[in-house]
Amino acid sequence: MNLDRDNMGAAQTAAEAHAFIEAFAKVTVNYVKNVLGAPLAEAAQAEEVFDPDWDDATKLVESGLASAVIDDEARAGRRYLHIDVAASPKGFRARQLFLGLTGLSDKQQRILFPCLRSRTPNEREQLTAEVARLNAWLDDMRSGGFDLAAFVTYQRSIGIHGQTQNLSGAIGAAGAAIAFVDAIRELQPDAIVDTVGELPPGTVRTPREVDDWLRGGPNRTTRALLLRNGRAVVFASSKDANIFEPLGREGFADAQDALTRFNAVAKDQRQRAQKLHEHAVGEVKTATDPANLHERMGLASRETQTELRTDRFLMMALLNREILSGGTQRRVMNNRDLTRFTHVFNLHHCWGWDGGRERNPEHWDFFKANVKLWCGL
């Protein structure tokens, strides 16, 4: 593959690369921020709803507390779990939050505090004993000035990495769908006759806007397009973009029919060859770390273009000049992994949310020329 000839204007400038990385970083960092939350404030708000009496000596004894430790922080609900909150049928969320401040795993919580873990604790004696032990545990963990919120942050952090990758992937897939839809509409405004999933409105283009839009309603992900000429474009999790038409006389009834028939043979190349005529398949990579792109190209090579017998393209989230021509380590894209792809497009330019199409018109035109061929427009 001749990158200089086939991928005119593909490389991002340093400013474009930084803008792309920053746009994705803002989305993922804000997601991390929202998931981590503010554990102590959440616990305080959950307890504040019940307005417990911190001056009732009997209730303090049941809570395992002495009046001397009831300061402003305790009254604000940021230090201890009050027995009345723990005993309330509606106190499950507060119990969960305070148990999270212990640093114990879910399994350990179930063993050591089974009553507090119950949605409807009804053994007052056992509940009192557990609340007292919980508050003593919290005091012990605070020794040395340790911030108990760090325990919750740690537990919530465990699953964040994979979730942010899924988030980036969903946004990048939406960006690729936008690129295809816009290209098709520029080539032939009435070409799309049916869809599965919604098409993002023209006001939705930046990664942050795409993320907000995707969260705004169910089934918003664009999954399939049916074109007037009978060809279909399907955006799937494996082989992210697929352009094909049915073999035989029976055309697709609608976009859902195209998606259903594609899914039935998606993982079986021989069956696909019996049911569909494929025009192009593509991968969408949303990594913003240049060092990971070569690994991701390898992950995208489960089927070679020889096996697919069709155009196979790669849309890259980050594609700077160093990746194209080689940097200090001389790790260039002109390697054996790239022989699996007939074309490499810069997703940033084709998505065009910040004027990338206008800055790189020759690359956008190259993408449209191939979409025109693949979609038979």
Side-chain angles (χ1 to χ4, degrees), residues 99 104-118 126 130 133 137:
L99 284 169
L104 298 169
S105 68
D106 285 347
K107 183 183 291 186
Q108 291 169 329
Q109 291 175 25
R110 287 194 296 270
I111 294 171
L112 296 176
F113 298 101
C115 198
L116 285 172
R117 278 294 299 252
S118 172
Q126 181 183 351
E130 288 189 17
R133 282 196 293 112
W137 182 287

Side-chain angles (χ1 to χ4, degrees), residues 16 186 349 351-362 364:
E16 287 174 327
E186 283 193 23
H349 297 340
W351 182 347
W353 55 266
D354 63 348
R357 297 173 188 170
E358 291 74 23
R359 288 194 306 274
N360 304 274
E362 69 283 4
W364 175 235

Side-chain angles (χ1 to χ4, degrees), residues 278-289:
E278 295 177 296
H279 296 282
V281 297
E283 305 286 342
V284 180
K285 299 301 150 196
T286 53
T288 53
D289 178 3

